[in-house]
Every structure is written in C-alpha cells, then in structure tokens.
Amino acid sequence: MKKSSQGLKVLSIDIGGSHVKATILNNKGELQMAYDKIVTPMPSTPENMVGAIKTLVKDFPEYTNISVGFPGYVKNGVVKTAPNLGSEPWADFDLAQKLTDELGKPAKVVNDADMQGLGVVDGKGFEMVLTLGTGFGTALLNDGHLLPHLEFAHQPLTKKYTYDDYIGERALEKIGKKKWNLRMEKVFEILKTVFNYDTLYIGGGNADKLNFNLDKNMKLVTNEDGIKGGARLWTINEEPIKGTLAATAK
C-alpha cells in the first residue's frame, strides 16, 4: 500500500431505510471499532439525516476521511433520487459536500450497493452484487472496476410491479417468506439470463431469509463485509486489499 494511505482512518457510513450504521476503518478495510447505529430519522429529509449522522458519530474516535453508502442514485457525491427515503427533498442535494462541511473531513458518497460491492468482490471477471433490504439494490463490477450504477430496482418486472415492489421489504411483509422466496427464485433466474455474471454476491438484511439452495457462483455476504468498501473508495488506485481490485493496481 502506498505510504500516502498508511494513516487513513475512514468513517464508513451505511444509510438504510431503518437504520444508519457506522464504524471506523483503516486503510486495509479493517474495523477499528464496533459498529454503532441509529434509527433512520422520519421524515428522512437531508437535514434530518445529516443531524442523525452527526449525533451517531459525535463520540467516535478520530478519522481522516468519510465514505457513505446511500440508498439511491448518486452522481459525483450529489443525490439524484432516493426512492425509499423520499426523492423530492433529496433531489440534487450535495451530500458529500454537506458532510465535508459539517464534519470537517473530505467525504465521498456512492450508492450503497456500489459501496458494498467494493467491499465484497474478488475482482475476477464480471461480478454482480445484490442488497435485499428496504429496497432492492444492485452493483456491477468488471475485474474489480465499479461500472456505472443502474437503478435496476425500478425496472418494471410485471405489469404491476417493479423489482422493488416485487421483492422489497414491503412485499416480504405483505406476502410472507414462503411466497417471497418463490419470487426470489424467479428473479435469480432472470438475473442469470440478463447479466450472465461470473459471481453473484447477495447481502442486505433480508438475505438470510432465502431458504433455497443457491448456485455455486452465488455467495451470501454480510453488511459488515460491505461497509469495508468505504476504505476502498479512498484506496482504489493503490495496491489492492487481499488481492481484490487487481485490475486497478496497474
């Protein structure tokens, strides 16, 4: 690892529909403290969210940089949509700059599935990451390179439902785990045909509710694995962690 990142201490934040979680990572993505979390504020406006983050991290150890995984479409740190938080108040909100101003450290903000993807992939071939939580998140990486984000969750799946509607948290609560698993089997078959991925990683709070056998190239991952992507946002152009992102280290 380059000398420039040896003292890196990243405040890594995962914004979810039910909780906001955070920890401190070193430059290798190793946890420097136990996870802490706070209930996602309601209404989930930018002002309330930034206030909740400040409350959550006020007693955290010192950090040098900030990484945030956000549940929506993010471009250059600016939120474009936030379907599960309320898109209207978040439209064109520069969350990266706001956190930099409020917390006094440089911040990067990406889609939450994209950050989880950086934390879990092996960097070999075409890899896809799914997050099964309040909504349905996706990330795509090729040889460790993060590809442009697609809000695939909002693609129509049936005449009535998008993917978010079909297998998101609200659907699970409405139809129950048995029917939800049948829907998940259908979705996995579609994804295999559409993306032809080498490896599929499945995370999020509802991943442990899957009750059928997965293909050999499908792996369950934890939110703890995913939040480590917060360090890789700041080290992606350096020697990769554990051999990951090898293609970026040329």
Side-chain angles (χ1 to χ4, degrees):
M1 191 68 67
K2 290 183 179 179
K3 185 177 181 181
S4 61
S5 70
Q6 288 300 308
L8 191 69
K9 300 292 182 185
V10 180
L11 170 62
S12 190
I13 302 169
D14 178 24
I15 296 176
S18 58
H19 290 90
V20 180
K21 300 177 283 293
T23 189
I24 304 290
L25 306 172
N26 65 13
N27 62 337
K28 297 180 180 180
E30 298 167 339
L31 274 67
Q32 304 300 289
M33 59 170 285
Y35 282 88
D36 203 353
K37 64 182 179 180
I38 193 171
V39 174
T40 300
M42 296 296 292
S44 302
T45 62
E47 294 75 16
N48 288 347
M49 187 66 71
V50 171
I53 290 172
K54 291 174 69 176
T55 297
L56 174 61
V57 307
K58 64 183 177 66
D59 295 323
F60 272 35
E62 184 178 354
Y63 50 88
T64 62
N65 301 69
I66 303 166
S67 293
V68 180
F70 184 85
Y73 191 87
V74 182
K75 187 174 183 179
N76 299 324
V78 178
V79 176
K80 298 297 182 180
T81 64
N84 293 305
L85 299 179
S87 286
E88 186 174 343
W90 281 98
D92 295 318
F93 184 78
D94 194 337
L95 182 57
Q97 186 62 55
K98 182 65 173 179
L99 289 176
T100 297
D101 294 341
E102 293 291 328
L103 299 178
K105 304 294 181 182
K108 292 184 179 182
V109 181
V110 296
N111 174 266
D112 54 350
D114 284 350
M115 191 163 88
Q116 176 143 7
L118 288 173
V120 302
V121 299
D122 287 331
K124 299 174 182 177
F126 182 41
E127 299 174 292
M128 185 173 190
V129 179
L130 305 182
T131 57
L132 305 177
T134 304
F136 175 62
T138 61
L140 300 171
L141 300 97
N142 192 52
D143 290 336
H145 290 279
L146 194 61
L147 300 179
H149 182 72
L150 303 175
E151 282 290 82
F152 193 72
H154 306 292
Q155 168 77 15
L157 177 61
T158 72
K159 290 183 178 180
K160 293 176 59 178
Y161 300 123
T162 64
Y163 282 84
D164 240 9
D165 299 328
Y166 194 67
I167 55 173
E169 181 81 35
R170 288 187 292 272
L172 174 59
E173 292 175 352
K174 182 178 180 179
I175 65 176
K177 190 164 71 171
K178 182 177 180 179
K179 289 185 178 179
W180 180 81
N181 269 275
L182 291 174
R183 289 186 175 186
M184 285 304 310
E185 288 188 87
K186 177 180 177 179
V187 167
F188 285 145
E189 287 300 317
I190 293 171
L191 296 179
K192 280 190 286 188
T193 301
V194 171
F195 291 99
N196 195 28
Y197 48 77
D198 293 306
T199 308
L200 177 69
Y201 302 85
I202 308 160
N206 292 326
D208 62 359
K209 296 180 176 64
L210 297 171
N211 61 13
F212 52 90
N213 292 328
L214 302 176
D215 295 342
K216 290 182 179 180
N217 65 340
M218 299 165 68
K219 301 178 181 180
L220 293 178
V221 294
T222 68
N223 288 338
E224 287 77 9
D225 295 324
I227 206 168
K228 295 176 184 178
R232 295 182 186 175
L233 280 179
W234 294 97
T235 62
I236 195 167
N237 292 321
E238 301 183 9
E239 184 180 347
I241 303 165
K242 296 180 181 178
T244 304
L245 305 181
T248 69
K250 294 179 180 179

